[in-house]
Amino acid sequence: MSPAEDDGPSGVHCRLDELLEERGMTLTRLSELVGVSVVNLSILKNDRARAIRYSTLSAICQALDCEVGDLLVRADS
Protein backbone atom coordinates (compact mmCIF):
# COMPACT_ATOMS: atom_id res chain seq x y z
CA MET A 1 0.00 0.00 0.00
CA SER A 2 1.42 3.40 -0.91
CA PRO A 3 1.63 6.22 1.68
CA ALA A 4 -1.25 8.05 -0.04
CA GLU A 5 -3.50 5.02 0.50
CA ASP A 6 -2.43 4.36 4.09
CA ASP A 7 -5.19 4.98 6.64
CA GLY A 8 -2.68 5.40 9.49
CA PRO A 9 -1.33 8.62 11.00
CA SER A 10 0.02 11.05 8.43
CA GLY A 11 2.89 12.37 10.52
CA VAL A 12 1.45 15.88 10.16
CA HIS A 13 -0.29 17.73 12.99
CA CYS A 14 -2.65 20.63 12.38
CA ARG A 15 -2.32 23.35 15.02
CA LEU A 16 -5.67 24.93 14.12
CA ASP A 17 -7.04 24.60 17.65
CA GLU A 18 -4.02 26.34 19.18
CA LEU A 19 -4.02 29.14 16.61
CA LEU A 20 -7.75 29.78 17.06
CA GLU A 21 -7.31 29.96 20.83
CA GLU A 22 -4.34 32.34 20.54
CA ARG A 23 -6.43 34.66 18.37
CA GLY A 24 -9.66 34.37 20.34
CA MET A 25 -11.47 33.09 17.27
CA THR A 26 -14.08 30.36 17.02
CA LEU A 27 -14.20 27.62 14.41
CA THR A 28 -17.54 29.05 13.30
CA ARG A 29 -16.02 32.49 12.69
CA LEU A 30 -13.11 30.97 10.77
CA SER A 31 -15.62 29.04 8.69
CA GLU A 32 -17.39 32.29 7.80
CA LEU A 33 -14.13 34.02 6.88
CA VAL A 34 -12.73 31.17 4.83
CA GLY A 35 -15.89 29.78 3.22
CA VAL A 36 -15.26 26.22 4.41
CA SER A 37 -17.81 24.29 6.44
CA VAL A 38 -17.36 23.89 10.18
CA VAL A 39 -17.44 20.13 9.65
CA ASN A 40 -14.52 20.23 7.21
CA LEU A 41 -12.52 22.56 9.46
CA SER A 42 -13.22 20.24 12.38
CA ILE A 43 -11.86 17.29 10.37
CA LEU A 44 -8.71 19.30 9.70
CA LYS A 45 -8.46 20.45 13.32
CA ASN A 46 -8.69 16.89 14.62
CA ASP A 47 -5.94 15.61 12.27
CA ARG A 48 -8.41 13.48 10.31
CA ALA A 49 -8.02 15.29 6.98
CA ARG A 50 -6.49 13.26 4.17
CA ALA A 51 -5.91 16.27 1.91
CA ILE A 52 -6.27 20.03 1.79
CA ARG A 53 -6.49 22.35 -1.20
CA TYR A 54 -3.82 25.01 -1.48
CA SER A 55 -6.56 27.63 -1.83
CA THR A 56 -8.13 26.48 1.47
CA LEU A 57 -4.74 26.39 3.18
CA SER A 58 -3.98 29.89 1.92
CA ALA A 59 -7.38 31.23 3.04
CA ILE A 60 -6.98 29.74 6.53
CA CYS A 61 -3.49 31.19 6.88
CA GLN A 62 -4.70 34.59 5.68
CA ALA A 63 -7.63 34.59 8.13
CA LEU A 64 -5.35 33.56 11.02
CA ASP A 65 -2.47 35.80 9.91
CA CYS A 66 -0.04 32.90 10.01
CA GLU A 67 2.28 30.91 7.78
CA VAL A 68 1.66 27.37 6.57
CA GLY A 69 4.43 26.17 8.90
CA ASP A 70 2.58 27.69 11.85
CA LEU A 71 -0.54 25.69 10.97
CA LEU A 72 0.91 22.36 9.83
CA VAL A 73 3.83 20.77 11.68
CA ARG A 74 5.52 17.39 11.62
CA ALA A 75 4.19 15.11 14.31
CA ASP A 76 6.57 12.22 13.74
CA SER A 77 9.67 13.78 15.26
Side-chain angles (χ1 to χ4, degrees), residues 8-54:
S10 66
V12 175
H13 170 64
C14 180
R15 295 187 60 247
L16 186 55
D17 222 13
E18 295 97 336
L19 293 172
L20 286 171
E21 186 175 329
E22 287 172 10
R23 286 150 178 81
M25 187 183 295
T26 65
L27 202 61
T28 302
R29 179 63 181 142
L30 181 63
S31 171
E32 293 167 354
L33 292 172
V34 176
V36 174
S37 73
V38 173
V39 171
N40 284 336
L41 288 176
S42 182
I43 289 169
L44 182 63
K45 178 180 75 107
N46 292 311
D47 292 331
R48 293 192 182 126
R50 296 176 55 95
I52 184 170
R53 290 187 173 134
Y54 286 144

Side-chain angles (χ1 to χ4, degrees), residues 16 30 34 41 44 52 56-65 71:
L16 186 55
L30 181 63
V34 176
L41 288 176
L44 182 63
I52 184 170
T56 301
L57 188 57
S58 177
I60 291 170
C61 287
Q62 185 175 3
L64 294 175
D65 190 29
L71 180 65

